[in-house]
Amino acid sequence: MIKRAIYPGSFDPVTNGHIDIIERASNLFDEVIVAVSTNIEKSPMFTIDERKEMLSSACAHLSNVKVDGFNGLLVRYAESNGAIAIVKGLRALSDFEFEFEMALMNRRLERRIETVFLMTNAEYSYLSSSIIKEVVKFGGSVSGLIPPIVEEYLAKKLGSIESITAAGG
Ligand code: PNS
């Protein structure tokens, strides 16, 4: 039986912290599906398709990693894809409470799927998609913290936001 895991998230956009978790998960499982979804608490900068394109390009070196998108409950998606585990990254104590809550709810919804937490690489412990977007918006450098393809997408997106603003839209 193939041991398949789902690594879900908003990935708005993917950072090198996410890539580190994906690489490590790909060593633990036969197959990892990186599943892009909408977090109802957040308003995204990128569409699901753009986020999937960035992830596919950044994960091209990992032959057992697939990129997909889903709507609805994570456990239903995991179950319908024959996954045995959900992988989550933990950066700091502040992540723990919410992740703990979600893991327990997901287990209540579907007992057969385990949530597996991987500790972040210390190098990326302060990194988040939100902080990347903020630094880039104000012209700071995020070089080395995001895959090169994400730099291109951010430049394009911010260029288009500026032209929309300049046009009064
Ligand atoms: O990267 P994020 O924003 O922390 O990812 C959160 C995400 C998308 C993994 C989470 O919101 C999620 O699992 N959404 C799917 C809906 C669902 O199953 N919610 C109940 C979780 S207990």
PDB file of all heavy atoms in Angstrom, residues 6-41:
ATOM      1  N   ILE A   6      -1.027  14.256   2.788  1.00  0.00           N
ATOM      2  CA  ILE A   6      -1.486  15.533   2.252  1.00  0.00           C
ATOM      3  C   ILE A   6      -0.802  16.646   3.050  1.00  0.00           C
ATOM      4  O   ILE A   6      -0.807  16.607   4.291  1.00  0.00           O
ATOM      5  CB  ILE A   6      -3.028  15.710   2.442  1.00  0.00           C
ATOM      6  CG1 ILE A   6      -3.817  14.511   1.915  1.00  0.00           C
ATOM      7  CG2 ILE A   6      -3.504  17.033   1.828  1.00  0.00           C
ATOM      8  CD1 ILE A   6      -3.831  14.343   0.428  1.00  0.00           C
ATOM      9  N   TYR A   7      -0.221  17.611   2.362  1.00  0.00           N
ATOM     10  CA  TYR A   7       0.308  18.800   3.041  1.00  0.00           C
ATOM     11  C   TYR A   7      -0.572  19.973   2.601  1.00  0.00           C
ATOM     12  O   TYR A   7      -0.419  20.501   1.496  1.00  0.00           O
ATOM     13  CB  TYR A   7       1.785  19.008   2.644  1.00  0.00           C
ATOM     14  CG  TYR A   7       2.426  20.244   3.233  1.00  0.00           C
ATOM     15  CD1 TYR A   7       2.249  20.597   4.578  1.00  0.00           C
ATOM     16  CD2 TYR A   7       3.239  21.068   2.466  1.00  0.00           C
ATOM     17  CE1 TYR A   7       2.845  21.738   5.113  1.00  0.00           C
ATOM     18  CE2 TYR A   7       3.843  22.206   2.984  1.00  0.00           C
ATOM     19  CZ  TYR A   7       3.639  22.528   4.311  1.00  0.00           C
ATOM     20  OH  TYR A   7       4.231  23.651   4.847  1.00  0.00           O
ATOM     21  N   PRO A   8      -1.548  20.349   3.446  1.00  0.00           N
ATOM     22  CA  PRO A   8      -2.495  21.388   3.029  1.00  0.00           C
ATOM     23  C   PRO A   8      -2.047  22.780   3.467  1.00  0.00           C
ATOM     24  O   PRO A   8      -1.278  22.930   4.420  1.00  0.00           O
ATOM     25  CB  PRO A   8      -3.760  21.000   3.814  1.00  0.00           C
ATOM     26  CG  PRO A   8      -3.206  20.466   5.109  1.00  0.00           C
ATOM     27  CD  PRO A   8      -1.873  19.829   4.793  1.00  0.00           C
ATOM     28  N   GLY A   9      -2.563  23.783   2.772  1.00  0.00           N
ATOM     29  CA  GLY A   9      -2.255  25.147   3.202  1.00  0.00           C
ATOM     30  C   GLY A   9      -2.794  26.161   2.224  1.00  0.00           C
ATOM     31  O   GLY A   9      -3.348  25.800   1.172  1.00  0.00           O
ATOM     32  N   SER A  10      -2.622  27.442   2.578  1.00  0.00           N
ATOM     33  CA  SER A  10      -3.025  28.523   1.682  1.00  0.00           C
ATOM     34  C   SER A  10      -1.930  28.775   0.642  1.00  0.00           C
ATOM     35  O   SER A  10      -2.220  29.128  -0.489  1.00  0.00           O
ATOM     36  CB  SER A  10      -3.239  29.822   2.452  1.00  0.00           C
ATOM     37  OG  SER A  10      -4.100  29.635   3.524  1.00  0.00           O
ATOM     38  N   PHE A  11      -0.672  28.677   1.059  1.00  0.00           N
ATOM     39  CA  PHE A  11       0.484  28.876   0.165  1.00  0.00           C
ATOM     40  C   PHE A  11       0.331  30.153  -0.658  1.00  0.00           C
ATOM     41  O   PHE A  11       0.411  30.139  -1.885  1.00  0.00           O
ATOM     42  CB  PHE A  11       0.680  27.663  -0.756  1.00  0.00           C
ATOM     43  CG  PHE A  11       0.825  26.361  -0.015  1.00  0.00           C
ATOM     44  CD1 PHE A  11      -0.184  25.404  -0.040  1.00  0.00           C
ATOM     45  CD2 PHE A  11       1.955  26.101   0.736  1.00  0.00           C
ATOM     46  CE1 PHE A  11      -0.066  24.211   0.663  1.00  0.00           C
ATOM     47  CE2 PHE A  11       2.092  24.910   1.439  1.00  0.00           C
ATOM     48  CZ  PHE A  11       1.074  23.965   1.397  1.00  0.00           C
ATOM     49  N   ASP A  12       0.112  31.264   0.049  1.00  0.00           N
ATOM     50  CA  ASP A  12      -0.202  32.539  -0.633  1.00  0.00           C
ATOM     51  C   ASP A  12       0.875  33.593  -0.368  1.00  0.00           C
ATOM     52  O   ASP A  12       0.587  34.576   0.317  1.00  0.00           O
ATOM     53  CB  ASP A  12      -1.578  33.021  -0.159  1.00  0.00           C
ATOM     54  CG  ASP A  12      -2.033  34.269  -0.904  1.00  0.00           C
ATOM     55  OD1 ASP A  12      -1.952  34.270  -2.143  1.00  0.00           O
ATOM     56  OD2 ASP A  12      -2.450  35.242  -0.257  1.00  0.00           O
ATOM     57  N   PRO A  13       2.085  33.445  -0.884  1.00  0.00           N
ATOM     58  CA  PRO A  13       2.596  32.393  -1.752  1.00  0.00           C
ATOM     59  C   PRO A  13       3.448  31.392  -0.958  1.00  0.00           C
ATOM     60  O   PRO A  13       3.695  31.582   0.234  1.00  0.00           O
ATOM     61  CB  PRO A  13       3.505  33.178  -2.696  1.00  0.00           C
ATOM     62  CG  PRO A  13       4.106  34.229  -1.784  1.00  0.00           C
ATOM     63  CD  PRO A  13       3.038  34.569  -0.781  1.00  0.00           C
ATOM     64  N   VAL A  14       3.902  30.333  -1.661  1.00  0.00           N
ATOM     65  CA  VAL A  14       4.800  29.344  -1.043  1.00  0.00           C
ATOM     66  C   VAL A  14       6.130  30.022  -0.675  1.00  0.00           C
ATOM     67  O   VAL A  14       6.629  30.876  -1.408  1.00  0.00           O
ATOM     68  CB  VAL A  14       5.013  28.140  -1.998  1.00  0.00           C
ATOM     69  CG1 VAL A  14       5.616  28.557  -3.328  1.00  0.00           C
ATOM     70  CG2 VAL A  14       5.870  27.070  -1.350  1.00  0.00           C
ATOM     71  N   THR A  15       6.653  29.655   0.493  1.00  0.00           N
ATOM     72  CA  THR A  15       7.953  30.194   0.938  1.00  0.00           C
ATOM     73  C   THR A  15       8.971  29.047   1.013  1.00  0.00           C
ATOM     74  O   THR A  15       8.596  27.864   0.917  1.00  0.00           O
ATOM     75  CB  THR A  15       7.855  30.808   2.356  1.00  0.00           C
ATOM     76  OG1 THR A  15       7.636  29.719   3.283  1.00  0.00           O
ATOM     77  CG2 THR A  15       6.736  31.819   2.477  1.00  0.00           C
ATOM     78  N   ASN A  16      10.234  29.391   1.259  1.00  0.00           N
ATOM     79  CA  ASN A  16      11.240  28.337   1.410  1.00  0.00           C
ATOM     80  C   ASN A  16      10.990  27.511   2.678  1.00  0.00           C
ATOM     81  O   ASN A  16      11.445  26.373   2.779  1.00  0.00           O
ATOM     82  CB  ASN A  16      12.646  28.943   1.415  1.00  0.00           C
ATOM     83  CG  ASN A  16      13.071  29.351   0.019  1.00  0.00           C
ATOM     84  OD1 ASN A  16      12.404  29.012  -0.963  1.00  0.00           O
ATOM     85  ND2 ASN A  16      14.177  30.079  -0.083  1.00  0.00           N
ATOM     86  N   GLY A  17      10.272  28.091   3.636  1.00  0.00           N
ATOM     87  CA  GLY A  17       9.888  27.327   4.836  1.00  0.00           C
ATOM     88  C   GLY A  17       8.946  26.185   4.450  1.00  0.00           C
ATOM     89  O   GLY A  17       9.104  25.052   4.921  1.00  0.00           O
ATOM     90  N   HIS A  18       7.977  26.473   3.572  1.00  0.00           N
ATOM     91  CA  HIS A  18       7.076  25.417   3.092  1.00  0.00           C
ATOM     92  C   HIS A  18       7.868  24.358   2.299  1.00  0.00           C
ATOM     93  O   HIS A  18       7.636  23.164   2.465  1.00  0.00           O
ATOM     94  CB  HIS A  18       6.018  25.993   2.137  1.00  0.00           C
ATOM     95  CG  HIS A  18       5.042  26.948   2.751  1.00  0.00           C
ATOM     96  ND1 HIS A  18       4.797  28.196   2.231  1.00  0.00           N
ATOM     97  CD2 HIS A  18       4.229  26.832   3.837  1.00  0.00           C
ATOM     98  CE1 HIS A  18       3.871  28.810   2.955  1.00  0.00           C
ATOM     99  NE2 HIS A  18       3.527  28.013   3.954  1.00  0.00           N
ATOM    100  N   ILE A  19       8.764  24.847   1.441  1.00  0.00           N
ATOM    101  CA  ILE A  19       9.528  23.900   0.592  1.00  0.00           C
ATOM    102  C   ILE A  19      10.344  22.948   1.471  1.00  0.00           C
ATOM    103  O   ILE A  19      10.428  21.745   1.201  1.00  0.00           O
ATOM    104  CB  ILE A  19      10.464  24.660  -0.404  1.00  0.00           C
ATOM    105  CG1 ILE A  19       9.628  25.536  -1.352  1.00  0.00           C
ATOM    106  CG2 ILE A  19      11.347  23.697  -1.187  1.00  0.00           C
ATOM    107  CD1 ILE A  19       8.672  24.802  -2.281  1.00  0.00           C
ATOM    108  N   ASP A  20      10.906  23.478   2.558  1.00  0.00           N
ATOM    109  CA  ASP A  20      11.676  22.634   3.481  1.00  0.00           C
ATOM    110  C   ASP A  20      10.786  21.526   4.064  1.00  0.00           C
ATOM    111  O   ASP A  20      11.190  20.354   4.113  1.00  0.00           O
ATOM    112  CB  ASP A  20      12.243  23.541   4.595  1.00  0.00           C
ATOM    113  CG  ASP A  20      12.895  22.745   5.703  1.00  0.00           C
ATOM    114  OD1 ASP A  20      13.840  21.998   5.414  1.00  0.00           O
ATOM    115  OD2 ASP A  20      12.438  22.859   6.868  1.00  0.00           O
ATOM    116  N   ILE A  21       9.558  21.890   4.453  1.00  0.00           N
ATOM    117  CA  ILE A  21       8.636  20.875   5.006  1.00  0.00           C
ATOM    118  C   ILE A  21       8.269  19.857   3.914  1.00  0.00           C
ATOM    119  O   ILE A  21       8.243  18.641   4.162  1.00  0.00           O
ATOM    120  CB  ILE A  21       7.340  21.554   5.556  1.00  0.00           C
ATOM    121  CG1 ILE A  21       7.659  22.522   6.705  1.00  0.00           C
ATOM    122  CG2 ILE A  21       6.305  20.499   5.969  1.00  0.00           C
ATOM    123  CD1 ILE A  21       8.015  21.905   8.030  1.00  0.00           C
ATOM    124  N   ILE A  22       8.019  20.342   2.692  1.00  0.00           N
ATOM    125  CA  ILE A  22       7.639  19.436   1.591  1.00  0.00           C
ATOM    126  C   ILE A  22       8.784  18.450   1.307  1.00  0.00           C
ATOM    127  O   ILE A  22       8.557  17.247   1.154  1.00  0.00           O
ATOM    128  CB  ILE A  22       7.281  20.242   0.306  1.00  0.00           C
ATOM    129  CG1 ILE A  22       6.045  21.109   0.545  1.00  0.00           C
ATOM    130  CG2 ILE A  22       7.055  19.295  -0.877  1.00  0.00           C
ATOM    131  CD1 ILE A  22       5.756  22.148  -0.545  1.00  0.00           C
ATOM    132  N   GLU A  23      10.011  18.952   1.279  1.00  0.00           N
ATOM    133  CA  GLU A  23      11.161  18.071   0.996  1.00  0.00           C
ATOM    134  C   GLU A  23      11.294  17.004   2.077  1.00  0.00           C
ATOM    135  O   GLU A  23      11.510  15.825   1.796  1.00  0.00           O
ATOM    136  CB  GLU A  23      12.458  18.894   0.910  1.00  0.00           C
ATOM    137  CG  GLU A  23      12.553  19.687  -0.391  1.00  0.00           C
ATOM    138  CD  GLU A  23      13.732  20.642  -0.436  1.00  0.00           C
ATOM    139  OE1 GLU A  23      14.347  20.899   0.631  1.00  0.00           O
ATOM    140  OE2 GLU A  23      14.017  21.151  -1.540  1.00  0.00           O
ATOM    141  N   ARG A  24      11.128  17.417   3.336  1.00  0.00           N
ATOM    142  CA  ARG A  24      11.280  16.449   4.433  1.00  0.00           C
ATOM    143  C   ARG A  24      10.129  15.455   4.430  1.00  0.00           C
ATOM    144  O   ARG A  24      10.324  14.263   4.664  1.00  0.00           O
ATOM    145  CB  ARG A  24      11.422  17.190   5.761  1.00  0.00           C
ATOM    146  CG  ARG A  24      12.831  17.826   5.851  1.00  0.00           C
ATOM    147  CD  ARG A  24      12.888  18.988   6.807  1.00  0.00           C
ATOM    148  NE  ARG A  24      12.440  18.616   8.123  1.00  0.00           N
ATOM    149  CZ  ARG A  24      11.952  19.487   9.021  1.00  0.00           C
ATOM    150  NH1 ARG A  24      11.871  20.761   8.729  1.00  0.00           N
ATOM    151  NH2 ARG A  24      11.585  19.075  10.191  1.00  0.00           N
ATOM    152  N   ALA A  25       8.894  15.934   4.136  1.00  0.00           N
ATOM    153  CA  ALA A  25       7.745  15.009   4.072  1.00  0.00           C
ATOM    154  C   ALA A  25       7.931  14.024   2.922  1.00  0.00           C
ATOM    155  O   ALA A  25       7.563  12.846   3.032  1.00  0.00           O
ATOM    156  CB  ALA A  25       6.453  15.807   3.906  1.00  0.00           C
ATOM    157  N   SER A  26       8.530  14.487   1.832  1.00  0.00           N
ATOM    158  CA  SER A  26       8.701  13.600   0.675  1.00  0.00           C
ATOM    159  C   SER A  26       9.702  12.486   0.969  1.00  0.00           C
ATOM    160  O   SER A  26       9.719  11.459   0.298  1.00  0.00           O
ATOM    161  CB  SER A  26       9.103  14.394  -0.577  1.00  0.00           C
ATOM    162  OG  SER A  26      10.474  14.677  -0.552  1.00  0.00           O
ATOM    163  N   ASN A  27      10.555  12.672   1.998  1.00  0.00           N
ATOM    164  CA  ASN A  27      11.467  11.598   2.424  1.00  0.00           C
ATOM    165  C   ASN A  27      10.780  10.601   3.350  1.00  0.00           C
ATOM    166  O   ASN A  27      11.249   9.483   3.529  1.00  0.00           O
ATOM    167  CB  ASN A  27      12.670  12.186   3.186  1.00  0.00           C
ATOM    168  CG  ASN A  27      13.615  12.912   2.265  1.00  0.00           C
ATOM    169  OD1 ASN A  27      13.731  12.563   1.101  1.00  0.00           O
ATOM    170  ND2 ASN A  27      14.282  13.936   2.775  1.00  0.00           N
ATOM    171  N   LEU A  28       9.694  11.031   3.974  1.00  0.00           N
ATOM    172  CA  LEU A  28       9.005  10.163   4.945  1.00  0.00           C
ATOM    173  C   LEU A  28       7.887   9.336   4.317  1.00  0.00           C
ATOM    174  O   LEU A  28       7.572   8.258   4.796  1.00  0.00           O
ATOM    175  CB  LEU A  28       8.376  11.017   6.070  1.00  0.00           C
ATOM    176  CG  LEU A  28       9.317  11.766   6.996  1.00  0.00           C
ATOM    177  CD1 LEU A  28       8.513  12.653   7.947  1.00  0.00           C
ATOM    178  CD2 LEU A  28      10.150  10.770   7.805  1.00  0.00           C
ATOM    179  N   PHE A  29       7.263   9.878   3.267  1.00  0.00           N
ATOM    180  CA  PHE A  29       6.104   9.217   2.655  1.00  0.00           C
ATOM    181  C   PHE A  29       6.411   8.837   1.207  1.00  0.00           C
ATOM    182  O   PHE A  29       7.292   9.425   0.582  1.00  0.00           O
ATOM    183  CB  PHE A  29       4.877  10.158   2.701  1.00  0.00           C
ATOM    184  CG  PHE A  29       4.405  10.437   4.103  1.00  0.00           C
ATOM    185  CD1 PHE A  29       4.834  11.570   4.778  1.00  0.00           C
ATOM    186  CD2 PHE A  29       3.545   9.551   4.753  1.00  0.00           C
ATOM    187  CE1 PHE A  29       4.414  11.823   6.087  1.00  0.00           C
ATOM    188  CE2 PHE A  29       3.119   9.801   6.057  1.00  0.00           C
ATOM    189  CZ  PHE A  29       3.553  10.943   6.725  1.00  0.00           C
ATOM    190  N   ASP A  30       5.646   7.840   0.688  1.00  0.00           N
ATOM    191  CA  ASP A  30       5.839   7.441  -0.713  1.00  0.00           C
ATOM    192  C   ASP A  30       5.407   8.565  -1.635  1.00  0.00           C
ATOM    193  O   ASP A  30       6.013   8.790  -2.682  1.00  0.00           O
ATOM    194  CB  ASP A  30       4.999   6.192  -1.037  1.00  0.00           C
ATOM    195  CG  ASP A  30       5.431   5.004  -0.202  1.00  0.00           C
ATOM    196  OD1 ASP A  30       6.642   4.869   0.033  1.00  0.00           O
ATOM    197  OD2 ASP A  30       4.557   4.227   0.239  1.00  0.00           O
ATOM    198  N   GLU A  31       4.315   9.235  -1.246  1.00  0.00           N
ATOM    199  CA  GLU A  31       3.798  10.312  -2.091  1.00  0.00           C
ATOM    200  C   GLU A  31       3.249  11.430  -1.213  1.00  0.00           C
ATOM    201  O   GLU A  31       2.621  11.158  -0.189  1.00  0.00           O
ATOM    202  CB  GLU A  31       2.683   9.764  -2.979  1.00  0.00           C
ATOM    203  CG  GLU A  31       2.270  10.708  -4.073  1.00  0.00           C
ATOM    204  CD  GLU A  31       1.195  10.093  -4.956  1.00  0.00           C
ATOM    205  OE1 GLU A  31       1.495   9.112  -5.666  1.00  0.00           O
ATOM    206  OE2 GLU A  31       0.058  10.577  -4.907  1.00  0.00           O
ATOM    207  N   VAL A  32       3.494  12.662  -1.611  1.00  0.00           N
ATOM    208  CA  VAL A  32       2.965  13.812  -0.879  1.00  0.00           C
ATOM    209  C   VAL A  32       2.139  14.651  -1.870  1.00  0.00           C
ATOM    210  O   VAL A  32       2.622  14.990  -2.947  1.00  0.00           O
ATOM    211  CB  VAL A  32       4.098  14.681  -0.282  1.00  0.00           C
ATOM    212  CG1 VAL A  32       3.529  15.928   0.400  1.00  0.00           C
ATOM    213  CG2 VAL A  32       4.921  13.874   0.724  1.00  0.00           C
ATOM    214  N   ILE A  33       0.894  14.931  -1.474  1.00  0.00           N
ATOM    215  CA  ILE A  33       0.079  15.847  -2.281  1.00  0.00           C
ATOM    216  C   ILE A  33       0.050  17.185  -1.558  1.00  0.00           C
ATOM    217  O   ILE A  33      -0.417  17.273  -0.415  1.00  0.00           O
ATOM    218  CB  ILE A  33      -1.368  15.329  -2.476  1.00  0.00           C
ATOM    219  CG1 ILE A  33      -1.368  13.932  -3.108  1.00  0.00           C
ATOM    220  CG2 ILE A  33      -2.175  16.307  -3.330  1.00  0.00           C
ATOM    221  CD1 ILE A  33      -2.760  13.321  -3.292  1.00  0.00           C
ATOM    222  N   VAL A  34       0.598  18.199  -2.204  1.00  0.00           N
ATOM    223  CA  VAL A  34       0.543  19.559  -1.638  1.00  0.00           C
ATOM    224  C   VAL A  34      -0.796  20.128  -2.094  1.00  0.00           C
ATOM    225  O   VAL A  34      -1.043  20.277  -3.295  1.00  0.00           O
ATOM    226  CB  VAL A  34       1.718  20.417  -2.148  1.00  0.00           C
ATOM    227  CG1 VAL A  34       1.660  21.804  -1.521  1.00  0.00           C
ATOM    228  CG2 VAL A  34       3.045  19.738  -1.840  1.00  0.00           C
ATOM    229  N   ALA A  35      -1.684  20.369  -1.133  1.00  0.00           N
ATOM    230  CA  ALA A  35      -3.068  20.711  -1.469  1.00  0.00           C
ATOM    231  C   ALA A  35      -3.381  22.152  -1.089  1.00  0.00           C
ATOM    232  O   ALA A  35      -3.367  22.527   0.085  1.00  0.00           O
ATOM    233  CB  ALA A  35      -4.013  19.746  -0.766  1.00  0.00           C
ATOM    234  N   VAL A  36      -3.667  22.947  -2.107  1.00  0.00           N
ATOM    235  CA  VAL A  36      -3.925  24.376  -1.908  1.00  0.00           C
ATOM    236  C   VAL A  36      -5.410  24.581  -1.645  1.00  0.00           C
ATOM    237  O   VAL A  36      -6.261  24.084  -2.383  1.00  0.00           O
ATOM    238  CB  VAL A  36      -3.527  25.178  -3.170  1.00  0.00           C
ATOM    239  CG1 VAL A  36      -3.715  26.672  -2.934  1.00  0.00           C
ATOM    240  CG2 VAL A  36      -2.094  24.870  -3.571  1.00  0.00           C
ATOM    241  N   SER A  37      -5.705  25.310  -0.576  1.00  0.00           N
ATOM    242  CA  SER A  37      -7.098  25.571  -0.263  1.00  0.00           C
ATOM    243  C   SER A  37      -7.278  27.008   0.187  1.00  0.00           C
ATOM    244  O   SER A  37      -6.323  27.766   0.298  1.00  0.00           O
ATOM    245  CB  SER A  37      -7.583  24.624   0.828  1.00  0.00           C
ATOM    246  OG  SER A  37      -8.967  24.798   1.022  1.00  0.00           O
ATOM    247  N   THR A  38      -8.534  27.352   0.436  1.00  0.00           N
ATOM    248  CA  THR A  38      -8.840  28.705   0.873  1.00  0.00           C
ATOM    249  C   THR A  38      -9.026  28.680   2.375  1.00  0.00           C
ATOM    250  O   THR A  38      -9.816  27.891   2.893  1.00  0.00           O
ATOM    251  CB  THR A  38     -10.143  29.181   0.198  1.00  0.00           C
ATOM    252  OG1 THR A  38      -9.944  29.057  -1.210  1.00  0.00           O
ATOM    253  CG2 THR A  38     -10.482  30.599   0.553  1.00  0.00           C
ATOM    254  N   ASN A  39      -8.263  29.531   3.064  1.00  0.00           N
ATOM    255  CA  ASN A  39      -8.460  29.692   4.496  1.00  0.00           C
ATOM    256  C   ASN A  39      -9.501  30.798   4.652  1.00  0.00           C
ATOM    257  O   ASN A  39      -9.264  31.933   4.223  1.00  0.00           O
ATOM    258  CB  ASN A  39      -7.124  30.085   5.142  1.00  0.00           C
ATOM    259  CG  ASN A  39      -7.225  30.233   6.644  1.00  0.00           C
ATOM    260  OD1 ASN A  39      -8.303  30.515   7.170  1.00  0.00           O
ATOM    261  ND2 ASN A  39      -6.111  30.057   7.326  1.00  0.00           N
ATOM    262  N   ILE A  40     -10.649  30.473   5.242  1.00  0.00           N
ATOM    263  CA  ILE A  40     -11.754  31.442   5.282  1.00  0.00           C
ATOM    264  C   ILE A  40     -11.413  32.691   6.107  1.00  0.00           C
ATOM    265  O   ILE A  40     -12.084  33.696   6.007  1.00  0.00           O
ATOM    266  CB  ILE A  40     -13.083  30.802   5.759  1.00  0.00           C
ATOM    267  CG1 ILE A  40     -12.879  30.079   7.082  1.00  0.00           C
ATOM    268  CG2 ILE A  40     -13.654  29.871   4.715  1.00  0.00           C
ATOM    269  CD1 ILE A  40     -14.197  29.643   7.722  1.00  0.00           C
ATOM    270  N   GLU A  41     -10.333  32.611   6.890  1.00  0.00           N
ATOM    271  CA  GLU A  41      -9.910  33.762   7.715  1.00  0.00           C
ATOM    272  C   GLU A  41      -9.054  34.758   6.929  1.00  0.00           C
ATOM    273  O   GLU A  41      -8.740  35.825   7.426  1.00  0.00           O
ATOM    274  CB  GLU A  41      -9.047  33.285   8.893  1.00  0.00           C
ATOM    275  CG  GLU A  41      -9.600  32.101   9.663  1.00  0.00           C
ATOM    276  CD  GLU A  41     -10.520  32.554  10.782  1.00  0.00           C
ATOM    277  OE1 GLU A  41     -10.114  33.451  11.517  1.00  0.00           O
ATOM    278  OE2 GLU A  41     -11.646  32.009  10.882  1.00  0.00           O
TER     279      GLU A  41
END
